[in-house]
Amino acid sequence: KKKCETTMHRLVRDLYKKILMVGRDYPTGLSEVRRRAKKEFLKRRDVEGDDLKRAVNYGRYMLKEMEGVIQLKKYRTMKKRYND
């Protein structure tokens, strides 16, 4: 059997999974989040060492930003329901 030539680093794989989990609730939908995440991950697929850590930290920052957008969406939805 031929082994896969490129394997995803553990930190990168975990970040990708978290992004997809958060993407379920994201306003644009999971398919859009998956498309954009895949594009960004493929753009940086050859990064190693300190640059890898920097890229993962940036990804974690973006994940928190996504969570903030989701919370804002939920807040606005609740506010619309109870305030006319």
Side-chain angles (χ1 to χ4, degrees):
K1 287 184 175 180
K2 187 176 180 181
K3 257 187 168 181
C4 182
E5 292 179 17
T6 58
T7 57
M8 200 181 290
H9 192 277
R10 179 184 51 83
L11 294 173
V12 176
R13 185 179 59 242
D14 292 343
L15 178 62
Y16 189 74
K17 285 180 181 181
K18 288 177 185 176
I19 289 173
L20 293 183
M21 291 294 289
V22 169
R24 293 177 180 175
D25 295 331
Y26 200 72
T28 60
L30 179 60
S31 60
E32 179 66 18
V33 170
R34 181 181 287 127
R35 185 188 65 74
R36 289 184 63 192
K38 187 175 182 179
K39 178 181 162 188
E40 292 298 321
F41 276 76
L42 288 175
K43 190 188 316 181
R44 294 172 175 85
R45 68 178 159 219
D46 296 326
V47 174
E48 293 179 357
D50 288 339
D51 291 335
L52 177 68
K53 290 178 185 175
R54 203 171 296 119
V56 168
N57 285 334
Y58 178 73
R60 289 176 181 158
Y61 167 77
M62 292 307 296
L63 183 63
K64 288 181 183 180
E65 290 292 315
M66 289 173 61
E67 290 170 344
V69 169
I70 291 167
Q71 290 299 320
L72 182 63
K73 177 190 169 202
K74 288 180 180 180
Y75 171 77
R76 287 181 176 170
T77 302
M78 291 290 287
K79 194 168 181 174
K80 279 183 185 177
R81 286 184 188 155
Y82 295 106
N83 294 336
D84 288 334

